[in-house]
Amino acid sequence: MTILHLRRARTSLVLDARGPGLPRVAHWGGDIGDLDDDALRQLVAATVPPVVPSSFDEPPALSLLPEASAGWSGRPGLAGHRDGRDWSTAFRLDGLDVDEPADAPALLTVRASDPAAGLALTIEITLDPHGLLTIRHRLRNDGDGAYELRELTPVLPVPAVATELLDLTGRWCRERSPQRHPWQHGAWVREGRHGRTGHDATLLLVAGTAGFGFGSGEVWAVHTAWSGDHVTVAERRPTGESTLGGGELLAPGEIRLAPGEAYDTPLLYAVWSDEGLDGLSHVLHSHLRARPGHPRSPRPVTLNVWEAVYFDHDLDRLRALADRAAQIGVERFVLDDGWFRGRRDDTAGLGDWYVDEGVWPDGLQPLIDHVTGQGLQFGLWVEPEMVNPDSDLFRAHADWLLTVPGRLPPAWRNQQVLDLGRPEAYDHVLERLDALLTEHPAISYLKWDHNRDLTEAGHDGRPGVHGQTLAVYRLLDELRRRHPGVEIESCSSGGARVDLAILARTDRVWASDCNDALERLSIQRWTGLLLPPELVGTHVGPQRSHTTHRVHDLGFRAATALFGHHGIEWDIASISADEQTELTAWVALHKRLRPLLHAGRVVRVDHPDPAVWAHGVIDQDRTRAVYAVARLTTSVAETPGAVRLPGLDPALRYRVRPVAGVPAPATIERSAPPWLASGVTLSGAALARVGVQLPALHPEQSLLLEVDEVG
């Protein structure tokens, strides 16, 4: 056929499609310029590995779908069989379609088949204007009998210079914990078997050059966009190949393709940067912000009342919270768990999505009217995929559960999972949510929760996670079609369903149930590896954290919550007058900075002292920025050294000063460097290479710096 060269932004993808088999990726990474056909042939020739003794007579071909028939001895790209037959494939290229419109994603479609195995394969590759690559495989059964699919995983090669791996793990209230190690021979496999994305999911699996950081090093990364069981893998072979890939993790018998049926993999997102982790984030954030459905209106400051009232719903008390919220500058009021029938604690009521007449004798409308009368939007908590055994729905339809025949999965928060793959269960949930939003058109926001793993999740005797995941997508899509003005948050025991497939259907994620500001610094930093700030809920919690019982002053809590979709998770009706005044100032500051925070480029500072973290957001034209410097703990050194402020235009001059309008950390009065009182004016180059000395902050304090271009 031909050699294809796709180029967008600073990224190139070169595919050798001249052979009879599937195309081989000759290069994925930095832009290699505008090459003519002869130059491309020479480039491809230069990337063919040598024939070595005691090996194949021809070099094995690592294609877009690795096959044993081409000499690949690593993890298979495709695993399946037809009653024990057709377990190995030898796809042959049938055709290529290339569409490269200006200022739009380049699209490559690869069509291949294996008549002997009775299978047809379509591969779709896009390279968007920001340099983000996506790959999806579609496998169709063209044979006579059923074909059981066990795995179909897109992969991409990574060059040998990538010698380190970084991924994320975690648990409830400790999501997005980084782990890093050398990339050695073998497979580093991250499997998620939770039936949801999982608290321990790695948002990105990153391979990079030795010592790569936030602002330096060459890095390659992949993200599996799927909200059910999934796998993300890095593999390095002794034969010299290194690959990154990811796809759906299928249970035995979960996908059986009848003749003519097809299976589509989740999208695999792949991104390259020679500017470290921040470069990866810039490409991903730019891609997400360019989506047609990306939130365009200013993200409203949100009060969620969970940690204020829990299940104790009282109209007068909630009205008082709404009044105080309006005074502080809140723009959205969210009524959390406890409003529906039988829901006085977390042991009962899930599934009965009717307003509890005993608690709300006049319904929700009096509260909604009061909230909206204060100029606030009204939101509501739901958990539509779950059911309590102590509920009318369970008593009437115990057969609607996602189970294996004859037994229930282990209880988790006193709840089980509704099988939304059953049409009657799906229709019931859709009808209830649709009715709720139709009866209360002022509800403009749903906090959509999902509080347990899908354990032993069966549908009609077979594995059901795949069908459940697709049913949830259909439910969200249909609900949004019927109520296009309603925004939806993906909350799943905090941050257990954060991925780009669920975010194609929702407007933000709840990063964690932990509002402890110290924990949140790390959770938000690493969630931001994938997501821009406006898609991540970041709230000011109470002085003593609900989950860790750690105590923080308001300034540290508010500075941490500033960098995201800002909100409050606190009983603000009981706070002091001084606290109200300060909180009002922080909300006003967020609103002033919101256009920058929710559209600018995120940077994270590589500082040598692990006790000091710094990060910031820079306007796209690099004329202004805001940075936060946080002291996590004490340091061995008396002062941690100057903190560099990267990302600014090296040629411009900037004034740097503490953010005005909110109280400064108390230690500044005793340890302020001379420049801090009136600010300092330096070039972007000086700020990035020299930086500024900062006060010796106490542990768990933050200082905000505002940076503006000066003429």
Side-chain angles (χ1 to χ4, degrees), residues 339 341 351-355 382 384 393 397 400 418 420 422-440 446 448 474-476 478-479 482-483:
W339 57 269
R341 286 181 184 168
D352 297 341
W353 301 110
Y354 300 86
V355 178
V382 293
L393 181 64
H397 299 289
W400 285 8
L418 283 175
L420 296 181
R422 296 180 67 96
E424 56 271 39
Y426 175 95
D427 291 344
H428 170 79
V429 172
L430 176 60
E431 183 277 328
R432 280 288 78 225
L433 295 177
D434 182 43
L436 183 69
L437 295 174
T438 300
E439 293 164 10
H440 303 93
L446 291 179
W448 188 298
R474 289 196 305 273
L475 180 62
L476 287 164
E478 179 60 19
L479 200 64
R482 297 185 186 188
H483 303 276

Side-chain angles (χ1 to χ4, degrees), residues 640-708:
V643 174
R644 295 176 171 182
L645 304 181
L648 300 166
D649 188 326
L652 296 181
R653 296 172 68 248
Y654 298 91
R655 184 183 180 208
V656 184
R657 64 193 188 281
V659 167
V662 294
T667 52
I668 284 183
E669 297 177 2
R670 298 189 297 273
S671 66
W675 71 267
L676 202 62
S678 57
V680 66
T681 299
L682 292 168
S683 69
L687 290 169
R689 297 184 181 277
V690 179
V692 292
Q693 289 284 355
L694 294 171
L697 298 171
H698 284 316
E700 299 167 21
Q701 288 189 335
S702 289
L703 174 65
L704 296 180
L705 299 175
E706 196 161 3
V707 179
D708 292 284

Side-chain angles (χ1 to χ4, degrees), residues 564-580:
H565 185 168
H566 190 57
I568 301 166
E569 199 99 6
W570 186 14
D571 183 6
I572 56 174
S574 64
I575 63 178
S576 69
D578 288 345
E579 287 175 317
Q580 180 174 342

